[in-house]
Amino acid sequence: MSTVNTSIPTVDENLLVDRTQLIDGEWVGPSSGEFIPVINPATGKELAAIPRGGADDVDNAAQAAHRALPAWRDTNATARASLLFKWAELIDQNGAGLDQLESQEVGRPSWGPPPMAGLIRFIAGQADKVQGLSLPTYTPDELGLTLREPFGVVGAIIPWNAPGPMFVNEVAAAIAAGNTIVIKPAEDAPLTPLALAKLAMEAGIPPGVINVVTGYGAEAGAAIPNHPKIRRIGFTGSPTTGSIIMEACAKNLIPLHLELGGKSPQVIFPDANLDAALPAIARGITMNTGQICAAGSRVVVFNSIKEQVVEGLAREMQKVTYGPWYEQVHMGPLINARQHERVLDYIEVGTQAGAQLVTGGRPPSGEKFESGFFVEPTLFADVAPDMRIAQEEIFGPVLSVIGVDDEQEAIEVANGTDYGLVASAWTQDVGAAVRMSRALEAGQVAINKPLGAGVIGGPFGGYKSSGFGRTMGADAVLNWTQIKTVSLTGA
Ligand code: NAP
Ligand code: MG
């Protein structure tokens, strides 16, 4: 008798793009003739293959985007918005399929209805509200005004941890402003972006407005900021790659925004509601297996309650269930073998440095874990602020607890890394909450919440090495425009 679990959901064939990328509205193979397998990290099984795109494919895509630009730029903004709203509608109609697809390529359990349609609608609503100014002039026979214009052909490079939201975040804002785009998804999770691009075509967004080139970062990715026709870049990923991208942009004298990593602190005051804080912090660092830029990976706690917090966090981390994406679990595997090795290395580094491994720390044993990149939810106590596990982004379900004596020390430790993406404080004292909101060096501060993402339309981005520029927010579309001052007189 077969032992196949018939309840394992399959990928929706209508959404699966296999062996092609999108250039000029056509689904085409790579110039290289080579393909890269996309693996489900929970099972090691191949889901599909993607073209190994390179500089030639990026060039084709940029030329197509350049040809599509005049008509798209001159399409009235309300009509552009309508096409984006139609795209959002198709995404809603395919919500379950997109969730399945992203779950399988990232290896996470289902998150329910995906957020992409909402993101697009928020952005589409801004498309026809891009406005200029009327300006005073020296003489009455002249008018002065500003126009907000698109940059032209733009580029974006996104990571694998939340490929759907990352894709629409860059694409929707860039094209709403009248730009045309060449985007490269991460080679580990390109299938949701390709499916979203397919729905964008179905929605009637014209050929060449959105071009998706797949492949490796050092090949297809590197060609994007180096292409002479590309006039602005959006990058989300690691600081190391961000720096490479910025160098290429510097050489070409083009602007960019960078959304990089984090080492987000969770400051716990003695008066914090621990019944709310501890489960939320454990979920925060294990959601998407800790592979979230905003994940709260450092607990900075007053020594007076440290023991109680460590015990409570250990209990909460042990409650986190894990397994393949189709089970009702909290946490899936890590994305790939390299990331698995990296997280296990960091756990070793922490142990060697003298941190106390309280719970977790290993790949789980058992048949269902054998073909996936699983690691147990891991808690370290007695972590010193300068240890590598307290300074470097692990991008896994590894939480470090650092004790402090008072608020001043808490602020110094919380701010004492190169990163500044998200920071949280847990306290019932309004005064402390206000002080922490100001003192924490991060693009997003959350009080009594772990991730700080609950605000509709909150601009998102980093302080310090977490990057610069903001996506989302009321300026999402404006960020993809440049300003022209016009002075106008009769002949
Ligand atoms: P990564 O290695 O920097 O990769 C990000 C993207 O850049 C991928 O598409 C990658 O392609 C591409 N890339 C790699 N090398 C390149 C190069 N030389 N030139 C051009 N492109 C290149 O980051 P990751 O490990 O995938 O993602 C995790 C990182 O992203 C973490 O640091 C995380 O915090 C950060 N992140 C930040 C945010 C945010 O909003 N701030 C959100 C999510 C993730 P391939 O992978 O296909 O080679
Ligand atoms: Mg994969």
Side-chain angles (χ1 to χ4, degrees):
M1 233 181 85
S2 161
T3 55
V4 172
N5 181 350
T6 48
S7 69
I8 298 178
T10 51
V11 171
D12 180 344
E13 289 298 325
N14 288 326
L15 292 174
L16 190 68
V17 175
D18 194 18
R19 300 174 77 82
T20 54
Q21 55 192 346
L22 180 63
I23 298 176
D24 208 6
E26 303 286 332
W27 293 96
V28 298
S31 307
S32 68
E34 289 177 39
F35 295 87
I36 304 167
V38 182
I39 305 295
N40 180 328
T43 59
K45 294 222 171 74
E46 188 170 326
L47 288 166
I50 48 161
R52 180 175 172 175
D56 289 346
D57 303 271
V58 167
D59 184 46
N60 291 339
Q63 302 295 348
H66 188 67
R67 287 192 297 277
L69 180 66
W72 182 247
R73 183 187 54 204
D74 294 342
T75 298
N76 81 65
T78 304
R80 284 203 303 266
S82 304
L83 291 170
L84 288 166
F85 282 120
K86 177 82 181 125
W87 187 21
E89 203 177 302
L90 290 177
I91 290 173
D92 268 343
Q93 284 167 16
N94 288 277
L98 288 165
D99 180 49
Q100 266 304 321
L101 187 60
E102 198 181 59
S103 297
Q104 294 210 38
E105 62 177 340
V106 177
R108 64 162 171 76
S110 168
W111 280 355
M116 284 87 82
L119 282 171
I120 293 177
R121 288 191 180 102
F122 180 82
I123 288 167
Q126 298 176 15
D128 57 4
K129 291 157 198 79
V130 171
Q131 298 176 346
L133 298 171
S134 70
L135 301 166
T137 52
Y138 288 108
T139 57
D141 61 347
E142 183 169 3
L143 285 180
L145 45 109
T146 59
L147 300 179
R148 285 273 189 173
E149 297 189 327
F151 284 89
V153 179
V154 298
I157 299 167
I158 55 171
W160 43 262
N161 60 336
M166 298 286 152
F167 182 81
V168 300
N169 200 23
E170 300 286 27
V171 170
I175 70 170
N179 301 284
T180 56
I181 190 166
V182 179
I183 181 166
K184 191 203 86 73
E187 127 265 330
D188 278 312
L191 301 179
T192 312
L194 288 165
L196 289 165
K198 192 173 177 211
L199 295 176
M201 295 294 99
E202 267 174 58
I205 292 173
V209 172
I210 301 172
N211 302 275
V212 187
V213 177
T214 55
Y216 293 117
E219 298 172 0
I224 292 178
N226 281 306
H227 195 283
K229 280 212 156 50
I230 291 182
R231 303 310 311 162
R232 190 193 184 286
I233 293 287
F235 174 78
T236 307
S238 64
T240 310
T241 310
S243 175
I244 295 172
I245 303 285
M246 195 168 162
E247 267 183 51
C249 289
K251 228 183 280 164
N252 278 347
L253 297 172
I254 60 172
L256 77 165
H257 63 247
L258 293 176
E259 300 262 20
L260 308 176
K263 192 71 188 174
S264 299
Q266 301 279 332
V267 181
I268 309 184
F269 280 71
D271 71 339
N273 175 356
L274 297 184
D275 292 339
L278 304 187
I281 291 172
R283 289 294 159 79
I285 189 62
T286 51
M287 190 180 178
N288 218 29
T289 326
Q291 304 166 122
I292 297 185
C293 53
S297 50
R298 291 183 297 146
V299 170
V300 179
V301 60
F302 283 60
N303 282 319
S304 56
I305 56 160
K306 191 174 86 175
E307 211 170 305
Q308 187 188 351
V309 162
V310 170
E311 274 172 28
L313 281 174
R315 269 197 306 276
E316 295 301 331
M317 293 292 269
Q318 285 157 6
K319 280 189 209 159
V320 173
T321 55
Y322 42 87
W325 83 98
Y326 52 84
E327 290 189 356
Q328 298 293 310
V329 290
H330 300 120
M331 190 177 101
L334 293 158
I335 188 76
N336 57 30
R338 188 165 47 91
Q339 184 66 10
H340 195 230
E341 200 175 309
R342 193 179 119 93
V343 171
L344 293 172
D345 277 354
Y346 269 113
I347 293 170
E348 183 58 26
V349 163
T351 312
Q352 291 295 327
Q356 184 206 348
L357 180 60
V358 181
T359 185
R362 289 174 310 247
S365 51
E367 201 187 334
K368 73 176 172 186
F369 302 117
E370 274 164 17
S371 38
F373 307 114
F374 291 92
V375 64
E376 294 167 339
T378 297
L379 178 68
F380 278 111
D382 292 334
V383 176
D386 60 353
M387 284 181 189
R388 284 184 58 203
I389 57 166
Q391 288 289 327
E392 298 173 19
E393 185 181 47
I394 297 174
F395 228 50
V398 181
L399 187 59
S400 292
V401 179
I402 305 168
V404 292
D405 284 330
D406 54 32
E407 187 174 317
Q408 193 48 42
E409 192 185 357
I411 292 168
E412 278 163 25
V413 169
N415 290 339
T417 73
D418 289 340
Y419 290 108
L421 193 57
V422 174
S424 295
W426 298 82
T427 176
Q428 298 184 63
D429 174 350
V430 175
V434 170
R435 290 193 299 278
M436 295 304 282
S437 301
R438 293 200 192 277
L440 293 170
E441 293 173 349
Q444 288 68 223
V445 171
I447 304 297
N448 297 318
K449 286 195 63 183
L451 295 180
V455 178
I456 297 172
F460 193 86
Y463 276 25
K464 305 194 285 186
S465 300
S466 291
F468 54 81
R470 295 291 178 270
T471 58
M472 302 189 249
D475 293 344
V477 175
L478 291 184
N479 290 336
W480 289 96
T481 64
Q482 51 192 345
I483 297 175
K484 177 184 282 175
T485 301
V486 176
S487 65
L488 180 66
T489 55

